[in-house]
């Protein structure tokens, strides 16, 4: 009887120690992550205009940014005098499937006051709105953001490029996919002023 009581006591003490150590370990990991997030973010490599960059799922090259009054590549000037920020880029889908997550590639950072958060993507080959990119078929694309009325257009546009990593088996479902999206480079482009005649 005493032996079974001692075994139960040993098991209870062992469980409490395991739970206590696990809790301390979780606290240490959380504290470490908070400290890392509080540190200055790393300096991203500079990406020059026209230079191709492999960003995991995507291969991208930024070309030029300009201010325009056209809401689409082949459209007339907006009738209400609205202004738009246009960016030309080459992008290729390096995955094996058609994909529509290209809008996650670029982030305007720092944000431009008055710039709409969700731009429109246009295929330059046929001036159609881009809905998905086919694998292995590089495309010239124009990205167009609308500026709010009265917003001051930027003289320079800084863009952060996100990259992803391919994993043949993810940790949750053991399925292949692109994961760990994070900033991998930054480009600063001058914003040209383009006169568009009606």
């Amino acid at each position: 009887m005493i032996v079974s009581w001692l075994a139960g006591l040993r098991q209870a003490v062992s469980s409490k120690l395991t739970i206590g150590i696990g809790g301390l370990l979780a606290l240490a990991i959380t504290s470490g992550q908070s400290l890392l997030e509080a540190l200055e973010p790393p300096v991203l490599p500079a990406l020059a205009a026209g230079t191709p960059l492999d960003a995991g799922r995507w291969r991208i090259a930024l070309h030029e940014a300009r201010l325009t009054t056209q809401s689409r590549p082949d459209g007339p000037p907006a009738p209400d005098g609205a202004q738009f920020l246009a960016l030309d880029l080459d992008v290729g889908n390096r995955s094996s499937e058609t994909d529509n997550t290209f809008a996650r590639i670029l982030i305007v950072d720092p944000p431009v006051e008055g710039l709409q958060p969700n731009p429109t993507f246009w295929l330059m080959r046929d001036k159609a709105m881009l809905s998905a990119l086919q694998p292995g078929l590089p495309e010239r694309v124009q990205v167009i953001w609308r500026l709010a009325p009265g917003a001051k257009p930027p003289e320079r546009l800084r863009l952060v490029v996100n990259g992803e990593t391919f994993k043949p088996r993810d940790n949750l479902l053991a399925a292949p996919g692109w994961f760990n999206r994070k900033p991998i480079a930054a480009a600063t482009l001058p914003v040209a002023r383009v006169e568009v005649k009606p």
Side-chain angles (χ1 to χ4, degrees):
M1 185 171 200
I2 294 177
V3 172
S4 65
W5 179 80
L6 285 174
L9 179 63
R10 183 182 316 138
Q11 186 176 7
V13 169
S14 175
S15 296
K16 290 188 189 260
L17 279 174
T18 302
I19 291 169
I21 291 171
L24 287 173
L25 185 58
L27 179 64
I29 290 171
T30 304
S31 299
Q33 286 176 335
S34 297
L35 285 172
L36 284 175
E37 290 171 2
L39 295 174
E40 287 291 322
V43 176
L44 295 172
L47 179 63
T51 303
L53 173 70
D54 286 338
R57 187 192 315 237
W58 310 103
R59 183 172 175 83
I60 187 170
L62 307 176
H63 292 290
E64 66 170 349
R66 65 192 166 283
L67 186 66
T68 180
T69 57
Q70 292 174 284
S71 62
R72 51 183 297 152
D74 61 346
D80 56 359
Q83 291 187 312
F84 301 87
L85 194 59
L87 169 71
D88 290 343
L89 60 96
D90 292 328
V91 61
N93 179 355
R94 300 176 66 230
S95 75
S96 60
E97 298 177 350
T98 301
D99 196 277
N100 64 357
T101 60
F102 46 82
R104 301 178 188 171
I105 302 172
L106 299 174
I107 298 172
V108 177
D109 183 37
V112 174
E113 187 174 347
L115 194 67
Q116 73 172 21
N118 300 313
T120 306
F121 290 73
W122 298 90
L123 281 172
M124 295 304 291
R125 135 173 82 82
D126 57 9
K127 308 300 188 284
M129 192 177 292
L130 178 60
S131 58
L133 280 168
Q134 308 300 321
L137 183 63
E139 295 281 7
R140 173 64 60 96
V141 173
Q142 192 171 102
V143 187
I144 298 182
W145 292 266
R146 185 183 182 100
L147 278 166
K152 182 181 178 185
E155 294 184 3
R156 301 180 74 74
L157 182 67
R158 183 176 183 270
L159 297 155
V160 172
V161 180
N162 284 320
E164 294 174 307
T165 305
F166 181 77
K167 292 176 75 173
R169 295 169 62 92
D170 73 337
N171 298 339
L172 186 59
L173 301 173
W178 294 90
F179 303 97
N180 305 327
R181 188 171 64 250
K182 64 180 181 180
I184 59 169
T188 302
L189 303 174
V191 177
R193 268 54 176 176
V194 178
E195 293 293 331
V196 179
K197 297 179 181 178

